[in-house]
């Protein structure tokens, strides 16, 4: 489940945000993002395969700087939705640059002889599309909920969980489905 490891700063941020001030949740995300990047580089992963990790570092550096400089900023209310919006921009941007963010993660779990296979690349484009759509919907719905029902905590939590669980489930199942179809056709 390398996908979960890549999202650890985002998950930890969400957990800490329910217990502590946004400054500390931002700092937690920043420290974890920096640590994961350092670990990945030590393992020999190329910088271009660490899109989510670099994105986390940039987001949490920016968020932490704003949170400590302006602790009473109205952005504090929207940090959960902003994380989804940032991840949506990251996912859509990786697709626009023809480097779907899931490709780098998938390469850590797939033998190198498959990396240039058009099916492998297409599967990752589709998986990244699902993540991008999920982040977009979750971010927009989170902003709407925070504007119109800011005390709907259960709805916000359910939105976050679904916004992550649906693409995780798809990420696990879709490659299996493609492999099964290919084996059936062979």
């Amino acid at each position: 489940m390398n996908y979960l490891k890549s999202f650890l700063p985002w998950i930890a941020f969400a957990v800490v945000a329910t217990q502590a001030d946004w400054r500390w949740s931002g700092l937690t995300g920043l420290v974890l993002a920096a640590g994961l990047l350092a670990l990945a580089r030590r393992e020999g992963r190329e910088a271009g395969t660490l899109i989510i990790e670099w994105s986390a570092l940039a987001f949490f550096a920016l968020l932490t700087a704003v949170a400590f400089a302006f602790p009473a900023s109205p952005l504090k209310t929207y940090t959960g939705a902003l994380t989804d919006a940032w991840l949506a921009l990251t996912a859509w941007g990786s697709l626009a640059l023809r480097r779907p963010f899931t490709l780098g993660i998938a390469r850590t779990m797939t033998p190198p002889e498959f990396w240039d296979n058009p099916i492998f690349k297409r599967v990752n484009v589709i998986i990244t599309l699902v993540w991008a759509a999920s982040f977009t919907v979750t971010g927009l719905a989170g902003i709407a909920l925070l504007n119109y029902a800011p005390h709907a905590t259960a709805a916000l939590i359910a939105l976050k969980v679904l916004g992550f669980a649906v693409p995780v489930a798809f990420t696990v199942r879709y490659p299996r489905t493609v492999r099964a179809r290919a084996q059936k056709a062979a």
Side-chain angles (χ1 to χ4, degrees):
M1 280 304 226
N2 284 342
Y3 284 95
L4 292 180
K5 187 167 86 171
S6 296
F7 286 104
L8 186 59
W10 306 94
I11 295 166
F13 167 79
V15 171
V16 174
T18 65
Q19 305 297 317
D21 185 83
W22 72 312
R23 293 172 286 188
W24 305 114
S25 55
L27 188 59
T28 299
L30 178 60
V31 168
L32 283 172
L36 277 178
L37 263 173
L39 179 64
R41 297 297 289 153
R42 194 173 318 126
E43 291 172 350
R45 287 184 60 196
E46 295 178 27
T49 66
L50 300 167
I51 294 168
I52 285 295
E53 291 83 354
W54 285 110
S55 177
L57 184 69
F59 177 80
F60 290 117
L62 183 60
L63 178 74
T64 302
V66 170
F68 277 95
F70 308 103
S73 170
L75 285 178
K76 173 170 76 171
T77 304
Y78 295 94
T79 56
L82 289 174
T83 61
D84 294 316
W86 183 278
L87 285 165
L89 289 172
T90 300
W92 290 117
S94 76
L95 287 166
L97 296 172
R98 297 179 186 241
R99 302 210 25 113
F101 82 84
T102 60
L103 200 55
I105 300 167
R107 285 182 174 167
T108 67
M109 301 178 282
T110 307
E113 59 267 19
F114 294 105
W115 294 359
D116 292 327
N117 184 311
I119 295 170
F120 177 72
K121 291 178 179 179
R122 179 73 180 146
V123 163
N124 279 280
V125 166
I126 292 169
I127 291 171
T128 301
L129 277 167
V130 169
W131 280 98
S134 182
F135 291 141
T136 302
V137 168
T138 305
L140 293 172
I143 290 168
L145 265 173
L146 288 165
N147 274 324
Y148 300 108
H151 300 295
T153 308
L156 286 165
I157 292 170
L159 180 64
K160 274 285 193 202
V161 169
L162 281 173
F164 193 75
V166 169
V168 164
F170 183 82
T171 299
V172 170
R173 288 189 180 125
Y174 184 66
R176 290 178 187 161
T177 302
V178 171
R179 272 193 299 277
R181 284 183 195 154
Q183 288 172 350
K184 197 182 258 189

